[in-house]
Amino acid sequence: MSENERRDAKKVIRPGSTIGVLGGGQLGRMMALAGRAMGYRFITLDPTVDSPCGQVADRQIVAAYHDIEAARMLSEQSDVITYEFENVDAEVTELLMEESYVPQGSRLLYITQHRLREKRAIESAGVKVAPYAQIASLAQLREELGRLGTPSVLKTATGGYDGKGQWIIQSVAEAEEAYEELSRAGTELVLEQFIDFDKEISVIAARNPRGEVKVFPAAENIHVNKILHLSMVPARIEETVQQEAEQLAIQIAESLNVVGLIAVEMFVTHEGELYVNELAPRPHNSGHYTMEACKTSQFEQHMRAICNLPLGSTDLLTPVVMVNVLGQHVEPVMDWIVKPESEQHDKGITTKLHMYGKHDAKEDRKMGHLNVLAPSVEEALRWIEASDIWKTSQ
């Protein structure tokens, strides 16, 4: 442990202090709601007036993320700073590291902002990723497709989310079109062998500066149009696979000296093998189920971790399915929520709605989510499938 790590292991940010949030989206909003219940104050920096986090924070600094003076203002008014998304300007991050307390540090951002660095870090933790290659030319892409086979997935090394910045290459004949399209981003490219997976799961691990680590139960994730639609807990996987997935998340959190949360997305093959796909160093969409279904939510846990409080219990209280509310679902959700309770639920079903305070309900934009608590995942799924709300996603 370095001198800085030993110092941070003793530093505790007590309730009543001010937490600065770089980013004003829904993750920051739910962080602030959880932290305010614990007695913390919040200030956020985001370029959008009346941002989701700004609506519930004590103050919002309205400025671009690369605005050095705005970052300095955030630093001066915060006892600790966290971030709610990965694509933080490097210069701003360095400034905040120098002038304030950012327990998550800049190294984890540096790693997770770049797919090649991320894969190498995962491998260094002793965890498998899909076979991959760095791609610098069309000729190299063709060569590596010969080695890795098709289908393979060509991705930009930076940027991209919800399936953007990716191309599934089904045959070598597609190589030129895929390369020309993705190389326009002006970033390095990475080719990954396509994993014939049975399920996609994610495990969220929390670690505080004193080295305490806890993991939440694995969520089984279903995507529609490359956007997360459902997260189901307990995941429909073997207990041995669940335990291995949790252990891999712990290995990664410890290897990277994570402070706060890290979401570890994995593929489960038909044979029960696990491959890590991506990391996210923050609360994650697939962890929203924890808000009602666990003894401690992922957002409270993140607050506890960055403030170096003891981590809370991650025990699951009830089966749950989290379902995203996208722009096209907002009107059906609003029609549903005003119905009499007897028309809203089946017997034994409890639903909890979380809307994010975004103003424009654009198609496929994440506007909120619903946690469906039920005696079993299957019963929650039946309620969702029978509902008119998500017909456009089914």
PDB file of all heavy atoms in Angstrom, residues 223-234:
ATOM      1  N   HIS A 223     -31.149  -7.321 -23.462  1.00  0.00           N
ATOM      2  CA  HIS A 223     -31.092  -6.088 -24.252  1.00  0.00           C
ATOM      3  C   HIS A 223     -32.075  -6.165 -25.418  1.00  0.00           C
ATOM      4  O   HIS A 223     -32.282  -7.236 -26.001  1.00  0.00           O
ATOM      5  CB  HIS A 223     -29.681  -5.861 -24.793  1.00  0.00           C
ATOM      6  CG  HIS A 223     -28.673  -5.564 -23.727  1.00  0.00           C
ATOM      7  ND1 HIS A 223     -28.123  -6.543 -22.921  1.00  0.00           N
ATOM      8  CD2 HIS A 223     -28.115  -4.393 -23.316  1.00  0.00           C
ATOM      9  CE1 HIS A 223     -27.276  -5.994 -22.071  1.00  0.00           C
ATOM     10  NE2 HIS A 223     -27.251  -4.697 -22.292  1.00  0.00           N
ATOM     11  N   VAL A 224     -32.656  -5.034 -25.763  1.00  0.00           N
ATOM     12  CA  VAL A 224     -33.503  -4.904 -26.944  1.00  0.00           C
ATOM     13  C   VAL A 224     -32.963  -3.729 -27.749  1.00  0.00           C
ATOM     14  O   VAL A 224     -32.776  -2.631 -27.214  1.00  0.00           O
ATOM     15  CB  VAL A 224     -34.980  -4.668 -26.562  1.00  0.00           C
ATOM     16  CG1 VAL A 224     -35.812  -4.366 -27.808  1.00  0.00           C
ATOM     17  CG2 VAL A 224     -35.544  -5.885 -25.834  1.00  0.00           C
ATOM     18  N   ASN A 225     -32.678  -3.962 -29.023  1.00  0.00           N
ATOM     19  CA  ASN A 225     -32.071  -2.932 -29.873  1.00  0.00           C
ATOM     20  C   ASN A 225     -30.799  -2.362 -29.243  1.00  0.00           C
ATOM     21  O   ASN A 225     -30.545  -1.159 -29.289  1.00  0.00           O
ATOM     22  CB  ASN A 225     -33.075  -1.808 -30.167  1.00  0.00           C
ATOM     23  CG  ASN A 225     -34.282  -2.298 -30.934  1.00  0.00           C
ATOM     24  OD1 ASN A 225     -34.178  -3.199 -31.761  1.00  0.00           O
ATOM     25  ND2 ASN A 225     -35.439  -1.720 -30.647  1.00  0.00           N
ATOM     26  N   LYS A 226     -30.033  -3.263 -28.598  1.00  0.00           N
ATOM     27  CA  LYS A 226     -28.730  -2.943 -28.001  1.00  0.00           C
ATOM     28  C   LYS A 226     -28.832  -2.027 -26.787  1.00  0.00           C
ATOM     29  O   LYS A 226     -27.835  -1.481 -26.323  1.00  0.00           O
ATOM     30  CB  LYS A 226     -27.777  -2.333 -29.043  1.00  0.00           C
ATOM     31  CG  LYS A 226     -27.503  -3.267 -30.219  1.00  0.00           C
ATOM     32  CD  LYS A 226     -26.553  -2.646 -31.221  1.00  0.00           C
ATOM     33  CE  LYS A 226     -26.289  -3.598 -32.390  1.00  0.00           C
ATOM     34  NZ  LYS A 226     -25.405  -3.007 -33.401  1.00  0.00           N
ATOM     35  N   ILE A 227     -30.033  -1.842 -26.244  1.00  0.00           N
ATOM     36  CA  ILE A 227     -30.252  -1.047 -25.035  1.00  0.00           C
ATOM     37  C   ILE A 227     -30.772  -1.979 -23.951  1.00  0.00           C
ATOM     38  O   ILE A 227     -31.640  -2.819 -24.207  1.00  0.00           O
ATOM     39  CB  ILE A 227     -31.268   0.090 -25.282  1.00  0.00           C
ATOM     40  CG1 ILE A 227     -30.768   1.021 -26.389  1.00  0.00           C
ATOM     41  CG2 ILE A 227     -31.520   0.887 -23.998  1.00  0.00           C
ATOM     42  CD1 ILE A 227     -31.814   2.033 -26.839  1.00  0.00           C
ATOM     43  N   LEU A 228     -30.270  -1.837 -22.733  1.00  0.00           N
ATOM     44  CA  LEU A 228     -30.735  -2.689 -21.646  1.00  0.00           C
ATOM     45  C   LEU A 228     -32.239  -2.534 -21.464  1.00  0.00           C
ATOM     46  O   LEU A 228     -32.748  -1.427 -21.314  1.00  0.00           O
ATOM     47  CB  LEU A 228     -30.009  -2.335 -20.344  1.00  0.00           C
ATOM     48  CG  LEU A 228     -30.368  -3.203 -19.134  1.00  0.00           C
ATOM     49  CD1 LEU A 228     -29.941  -4.659 -19.351  1.00  0.00           C
ATOM     50  CD2 LEU A 228     -29.731  -2.647 -17.869  1.00  0.00           C
ATOM     51  N   HIS A 229     -32.925  -3.663 -21.477  1.00  0.00           N
ATOM     52  CA  HIS A 229     -34.385  -3.672 -21.288  1.00  0.00           C
ATOM     53  C   HIS A 229     -34.737  -4.187 -19.898  1.00  0.00           C
ATOM     54  O   HIS A 229     -35.447  -3.514 -19.138  1.00  0.00           O
ATOM     55  CB  HIS A 229     -35.028  -4.532 -22.375  1.00  0.00           C
ATOM     56  CG  HIS A 229     -36.514  -4.715 -22.235  1.00  0.00           C
ATOM     57  ND1 HIS A 229     -37.370  -3.667 -21.922  1.00  0.00           N
ATOM     58  CD2 HIS A 229     -37.294  -5.831 -22.349  1.00  0.00           C
ATOM     59  CE1 HIS A 229     -38.616  -4.133 -21.868  1.00  0.00           C
ATOM     60  NE2 HIS A 229     -38.600  -5.428 -22.109  1.00  0.00           N
ATOM     61  N   LEU A 230     -34.217  -5.369 -19.529  1.00  0.00           N
ATOM     62  CA  LEU A 230     -34.547  -5.999 -18.261  1.00  0.00           C
ATOM     63  C   LEU A 230     -33.286  -6.427 -17.523  1.00  0.00           C
ATOM     64  O   LEU A 230     -32.312  -6.873 -18.140  1.00  0.00           O
ATOM     65  CB  LEU A 230     -35.380  -7.264 -18.491  1.00  0.00           C
ATOM     66  CG  LEU A 230     -36.702  -7.187 -19.236  1.00  0.00           C
ATOM     67  CD1 LEU A 230     -37.205  -8.597 -19.533  1.00  0.00           C
ATOM     68  CD2 LEU A 230     -37.728  -6.425 -18.408  1.00  0.00           C
ATOM     69  N   SER A 231     -33.329  -6.328 -16.200  1.00  0.00           N
ATOM     70  CA  SER A 231     -32.336  -6.964 -15.331  1.00  0.00           C
ATOM     71  C   SER A 231     -33.101  -7.815 -14.330  1.00  0.00           C
ATOM     72  O   SER A 231     -33.978  -7.309 -13.623  1.00  0.00           O
ATOM     73  CB  SER A 231     -31.484  -5.930 -14.593  1.00  0.00           C
ATOM     74  OG  SER A 231     -30.617  -5.274 -15.492  1.00  0.00           O
ATOM     75  N   MET A 232     -32.756  -9.113 -14.285  1.00  0.00           N
ATOM     76  CA  MET A 232     -33.487 -10.081 -13.454  1.00  0.00           C
ATOM     77  C   MET A 232     -32.593 -10.598 -12.335  1.00  0.00           C
ATOM     78  O   MET A 232     -31.448 -10.983 -12.578  1.00  0.00           O
ATOM     79  CB  MET A 232     -33.953 -11.256 -14.316  1.00  0.00           C
ATOM     80  CG  MET A 232     -34.919 -10.861 -15.408  1.00  0.00           C
ATOM     81  SD  MET A 232     -35.185 -12.208 -16.605  1.00  0.00           S
ATOM     82  CE  MET A 232     -33.762 -11.978 -17.667  1.00  0.00           C
ATOM     83  N   VAL A 233     -33.129 -10.583 -11.111  1.00  0.00           N
ATOM     84  CA  VAL A 233     -32.392 -11.074  -9.948  1.00  0.00           C
ATOM     85  C   VAL A 233     -33.358 -11.864  -9.071  1.00  0.00           C
ATOM     86  O   VAL A 233     -34.443 -11.349  -8.743  1.00  0.00           O
ATOM     87  CB  VAL A 233     -31.787  -9.902  -9.150  1.00  0.00           C
ATOM     88  CG1 VAL A 233     -30.921 -10.419  -8.011  1.00  0.00           C
ATOM     89  CG2 VAL A 233     -30.951  -9.001 -10.076  1.00  0.00           C
ATOM     90  N   PRO A 234     -33.027 -13.094  -8.698  1.00  0.00           N
ATOM     91  CA  PRO A 234     -31.779 -13.804  -8.971  1.00  0.00           C
ATOM     92  C   PRO A 234     -31.639 -14.134 -10.468  1.00  0.00           C
ATOM     93  O   PRO A 234     -32.629 -14.421 -11.145  1.00  0.00           O
ATOM     94  CB  PRO A 234     -31.901 -15.098  -8.164  1.00  0.00           C
ATOM     95  CG  PRO A 234     -33.001 -14.853  -7.174  1.00  0.00           C
ATOM     96  CD  PRO A 234     -33.929 -13.885  -7.835  1.00  0.00           C
TER      97      PRO A 234
END
